Amino acid sequence: MSAVSLYKQKISSALNCQEDEVFLYWKGRVALYTVLKALGVTKGDEVLLQAFTCVVVPNAIIYTGATPIYVDVKTETFNMGLEGVKTRVSDKTKVVVIQNTFGLSTEVEEIVNYCKTKEIICIEDCTHGFGGMYNEKSNGSIADFSFYSTQWNKPFSTGVGGVLRVNNRDYIESIKQVDKQAVQPSIKETLVLNALITARKYLLNDTTYWVLIKLYRRLTALNLVVGSSSPEEIEAPKLPEGFLKKSSAVQCKTGVKALVKLPEIIELRKRTAKVFDVFLKENNKCFVSSELHKNHSFLIYPILVKDREVFMKRAEDMGLPLGDWFISPIHPVKEHFEMWQLNTDDFPNANYLSKHILNIPLDKSNSEKYLFFLKENKDQLI
Ligand SMILES: Cc1ncc(COP(=O)(O)O)c(C=O)c1O
């Protein structure tokens, strides 16, 4: 059996769906673009998405010629809610992208049911949430489509990678038509990716973390390695050449191995998240109500801090990596938001969160060190 077929088999059994409902791509953003193309989304159409996302999401929309219409998020959930969606829907709305930020799905059923009444297609952006649950079902099983990312910091990693799941079988044939046009990754791309996956496996540890991460970011900015986002994707929403790309055998083989460990990592994430929940609650700091994540797994744990630079520096000095998703309503863009048709002033919650958010990794065995650090720096927590 080929690496691709085996990986598809494993993915579909993990997601509890049919193998022919799964399509594999070079990155998650390509899966989103594939769906939009298969739906015939084009100039004059509007696609709703939340402000507090990764820039590659509005990019995929703009690549089709459609207009991204942003919806502000709720500060308690980091996701947009049904009420926000209702205020932005128009007769041009063709698609709504529902994000499960940090792995947390909220109001998906409500938004999908509302969209059904308006004949609007829904796509769940589950890039942070493979393997998580929502309302007793696997994340990404409710909307017409969903997509997942298997990039470095995601629930499980294939270096970079994307999975498309088609729930509405009426669209399988049109997805296949677009999928046929996808190119294969080049030999150079797969070799570089393989080298990065190997380097990560053997060289990345707590001691080497900062040096290697800074080196990787530098090489990505210079376009010398396969990065999460190429510099051109962050500079302007212009379709990069060869964007519609399939996944490689390297990714599939890596994915098959990585999936074996996923259930254990999800349990670790759930346990660790509870530790931070309790600490933040006891200290009257912002935390995500456990009601909202009874049976789901955070990918990373969100905290809000007064001064992000100060807090990150203190953590770095203690050798504790923190994530900074999302530093802007369309991470990691910092200027020229108009190119993405976004007026940041219109989205106060997304703006507020992106000024104060930091994320704690949950897949490490040193959560007590993070907890100690939070206790020591309580004055900085919001
Ligand atoms: C919310 C969100 N959507 C989509 C993506 C795109 O995923 P990928 O990097 O696999 O293209 C990301 C990337 O991290 C993301 O954070």
Side-chain angles (χ1 to χ4, degrees):
M1 187 186 278
S2 74
V4 177
S5 306
L6 181 61
Y7 186 40
K8 271 196 185 181
Q9 194 187 74
K10 300 285 177 196
I11 293 271
S12 54
S13 90
L15 294 177
N16 201 14
C17 64
Q18 307 292 317
E19 254 172 85
D20 69 343
E21 293 163 357
V22 172
F23 295 80
L24 302 171
Y25 296 99
W26 183 241
K27 292 182 181 179
R29 65 201 74 178
V30 183
L32 171 60
Y33 179 70
T34 301
V35 177
L36 297 175
K37 290 303 280 180
L39 292 172
V41 170
T42 188
K43 200 169 171 6
D45 294 331
E46 292 181 349
V47 178
L48 263 60
L49 74 162
Q50 68 173 56
F52 195 62
T53 188
C54 178
V55 66
V56 301
V57 179
N59 274 356
I61 296 166
I62 298 170
Y63 295 162
T64 66
T67 305
I69 302 289
Y70 299 90
V71 180
D72 205 1
V73 286
K74 294 179 161 183
T75 52
E76 320 84 81
T77 64
F78 309 93
N79 292 329
M80 65 185 191
L82 174 61
E83 286 314 310
V85 169
K86 280 185 179 169
T87 62
R88 305 290 279 163
V89 159
S90 78
D91 53 9
K92 292 185 190 152
T93 309
K94 197 142 188 197
V95 174
V96 173
V97 180
I98 311 169
Q99 185 170 299
N100 103 320
T101 314
F102 310 137
L104 179 66
S105 284
T106 50
E107 298 186 51
V108 181
E109 261 173 347
E110 291 84 341
I111 297 173
V112 168
N113 288 339
Y114 168 74
C115 287
K116 273 189 190 143
T117 66
K118 303 249 164 202
E119 296 186 10
I120 296 169
I121 295 289
C122 289
I123 306 173
E124 282 181 75
D125 177 346
C126 285
T127 43
H128 300 181
F130 190 105
M133 303 289 283
Y134 167 71
N135 286 0
E136 313 302 323
K137 293 189 193 123
S138 74
N139 272 343
S141 56
I142 293 172
D144 300 282
F145 303 91
S146 56
F147 66 102
Y148 306 83
S149 172
T150 57
Q151 177 255 7
W152 302 111
N153 301 317
K154 297 303 189 312
F156 72 95
S157 169
T158 60
V160 292
V163 173
L164 166 61
R165 170 181 185 177
V166 184
N167 294 321
N168 187 337
R169 292 191 61 92
D170 290 351
Y171 291 101
I172 293 216
E173 280 314 310
S174 37
I175 292 287
K176 278 187 186 160
Q177 291 309 315
V178 180
D179 184 72
K180 265 191 213 154
Q181 297 160 33
V183 296
Q184 290 292 345
S186 69
I187 294 178
K188 183 179 160 212
E189 281 169 327
T190 45
L191 285 177
V192 172
L193 185 61
N194 201 12
L196 287 172
I197 292 170
T198 312
R200 185 191 208 219
K201 185 168 170 197
Y202 293 108
L203 301 179
L204 191 67
N205 54 48
D206 284 352
T207 323
T208 59
Y209 178 86
W210 297 104
V211 178
L212 290 182
I213 287 296
K214 283 175 188 167
L215 177 67
Y216 174 69
R217 286 186 185 152
R218 186 93 203 95
L219 293 175
T220 305
L222 294 169
N223 231 347
L224 292 174
V225 295
V226 175
S228 305
S229 292
S230 66
E232 57 177 328
E233 290 177 282
I234 300 162
E235 275 157 23
K238 190 168 166 289
L239 182 65
E241 209 178 306
F243 179 76
L244 182 55
K245 196 174 287 166
K246 289 190 195 295
S247 80
S248 61
V250 172
Q251 289 162 298
C252 295
K253 281 184 199 154
T254 310
V256 169
K257 282 192 204 141
L259 266 173
V260 176
K261 296 190 199 125
L262 185 63
E264 200 185 303
I265 295 173
I266 288 179
E267 284 315 308
L268 172 63
R269 287 199 171 107
K270 282 185 181 170
R271 280 200 307 276
T272 317
K274 277 201 190 119
V275 174
F276 298 124
D277 266 357
V278 171
F279 168 77
L280 294 171
K281 193 173 178 184
E282 276 175 6
N283 288 280
N284 286 325
K285 304 292 181 189
C286 286
F287 73 105
V288 182
S289 157
S290 43
E291 273 306 299
L292 287 171
H293 61 103
K294 261 187 260 164
N295 190 19
H296 106 97
S297 146
F298 271 115
L299 175 62
I300 42 183
Y301 195 93
I303 52 168
L304 299 179
V305 300
K306 291 177 190 158
D307 186 325
R308 186 165 40 214
E309 268 64 52
V310 168
F311 203 85
M312 278 195 104
K313 177 76 180 65
R314 287 186 194 170
E316 187 174 338
D317 290 346
M318 283 191 66
L320 298 173
L322 290 173
D324 61 358
W325 303 356
F326 296 120
I327 60 162
S328 98
I330 48 170
H331 180 93
V333 170
K334 289 195 195 131
E335 55 187 3
H336 301 306
F337 292 100
E338 68 287 352
M339 284 200 284
W340 285 272
Q341 299 162 51
L342 173 70
N343 179 2
T344 54
D345 293 343
D346 294 343
F347 304 95
N349 292 345
N351 257 334
Y352 171 77
L353 289 177
S354 56
K355 283 196 179 72
H356 297 285
I357 192 109
L358 276 176
N359 334 102
I360 306 177
L362 293 175
D363 57 347
K364 306 254 184 280
S365 51
N366 60 353
S367 54
E368 77 294 339
K369 280 195 188 157
Y370 281 94
L371 193 60
F372 176 76
F373 176 73
L374 291 187
K375 283 181 186 159
E376 290 289 292
N377 292 280
K378 217 162 56 180
D379 59 313
Q380 273 290 324
L381 292 168
I382 294 175

